Amino acid sequence: MPPDPEEVATGVFTALADPNRRAILASLAEHGPSTATDLSRRLSITRQGIAKHLALLADAGLVTSDAGGGRRVLYRHRSEPIKVAQSYLAALAADWDGSLDRLSAFLADPPR
């Protein structure tokens, strides 16, 4: 059974609420698969802090981990959960579009 879009969106929004987690995702997107140590060096966050944030990002489905060479674990970002959250936001925006269009029309040509 596919995941519930509402649960996916909730996990994404919770994960993205923290600027450190957004920075981790941006770093993975820019630099590609990275270890927690790589991310720690790039972002000036302790390795333990990175590990904590990566766990939450993984719970939200935003990162995956793969065994690298030796004992290295490489983390990669995933965009699929963000696409689910974007769909959720697009639906909310559509609700506002009609109201904003009516307001714009009213302001352009108010009743006399």
Side-chain angles (χ1 to χ4, degrees):
M1 176 162 60
D4 177 28
E6 181 68 24
E7 286 181 31
V8 172
T10 297
V12 168
F13 294 134
T14 299
L16 295 179
D18 185 280
N20 290 317
R21 290 191 287 270
R22 292 192 304 270
I24 290 168
L25 287 176
S27 182
L28 290 172
E30 181 180 348
H31 299 284
S34 305
T35 66
T37 302
D38 296 334
L39 291 164
S40 177
R41 276 192 221 121
R42 265 186 237 131
L43 301 171
S44 299
I45 302 171
T46 66
R47 193 192 168 300
Q48 292 80 8
I50 292 287
K52 218 168 110 175
H53 289 301
L54 285 169
L56 199 143
L57 290 166
D59 287 346
L62 292 167
V63 297
T64 60
S65 59
D66 300 312
R71 295 176 47 181
R72 294 170 41 108
V73 176
L74 293 173
Y75 294 89
R76 303 174 196 285
H77 79 288
R78 293 184 64 240
S79 59
E80 292 82 6
I82 291 177
K83 290 176 185 173
V84 172
Q86 284 175 321
S87 295
Y88 177 81
L89 290 174
L92 289 176
D95 287 345
W96 279 94
D97 288 344
S99 297
L100 293 173
D101 288 344
R102 287 188 298 280
L103 176 60
S104 181
F106 174 80
L107 294 173
D109 188 25
R112 294 168 210 227

